[in-house]
Amino acid sequence: MNLGNQERDAIVSYRIERAKAALREASDNCGLQHWNLVANRLYYSAYYACSALLISNGISATTHAGVNRMMNLHFVKNNIISKSDARLLLDLFNMRQTGDYDDIFDWTENDIVPLLPDVESFVSKIIALINI
């Protein structure tokens, strides 16, 4: 990824803001009990944070699976991010896929609400790794 420092920093900051906004959207939609949408926003919060971390380290990933793969290769394998955090990202991805694309399926409050603090913690950890 050939980005200048200013361009990279701007993209990283933008992705972090998207991660934070997606967390707020998840929280707001809990009140509306739109559980599939909350699962979607939780996943995107984690995804945006991870993509910011990758970009900040000059690592390119062009797909959602690529972000997961690069996170595992560069951060889980090197014990920078725990396996449980990596598992959370994968679980969120699968939940988003199921909620967005599977017929006759809906997530419930019991499925989603316990994930909120985990995702908030995960995003905070990722942002701390970026050091901005």
Side-chain angles (χ1 to χ4, degrees):
M1 178 177 290
N2 282 335
L3 297 173
N5 288 340
Q6 286 183 327
E7 187 177 20
R8 183 180 54 249
D9 291 348
I11 293 170
V12 168
S13 292
Y14 176 74
R15 298 272 173 104
I16 289 170
E17 288 309 311
R18 296 277 315 258
K20 291 175 181 178
L23 266 178
R24 286 190 303 273
E25 293 162 0
S27 180
D28 291 347
N29 278 287
C30 281
L32 299 172
Q33 299 181 350
H34 294 193
W35 305 118
N36 289 354
L37 182 56
V38 175
N40 175 289
R41 302 323 299 154
L42 289 175
Y43 166 70
Y44 273 101
S45 180
Y47 170 80
Y48 292 138
C50 289
S51 67
L53 178 62
L54 294 173
I55 292 167
S56 74
N57 283 276
I59 301 166
S60 180
T62 58
T63 65
H64 289 262
V67 167
N68 190 44
R69 193 169 28 260
M70 291 297 109
M71 289 296 293
N72 280 311
L73 180 64
H74 295 282
F75 297 96
V76 177
K77 186 176 178 182
N78 294 318
N79 295 315
I80 298 167
I81 293 176
S82 71
K83 289 181 182 178
S84 64
D85 281 337
R87 184 50 152 161
L88 176 64
L89 179 62
L90 182 59
D91 289 347
L92 291 168
F93 173 76
N94 290 331
M95 290 179 81
R96 195 244 347 165
Q97 291 288 100
T98 300
D100 286 356
Y101 301 112
D102 285 3
D103 291 325
I104 313 173
F105 181 86
D106 288 303
W107 292 109
T108 67
E109 180 177 6
N110 291 337
D111 299 318
I112 300 299
V113 170
L115 295 173
L116 286 164
D118 294 339
V119 176
E120 289 172 356
S121 175
F122 178 78
V123 169
S124 292
K125 288 177 197 175
I126 299 297
I127 292 171
L129 288 172
I130 295 170
N131 293 322
I132 64 165

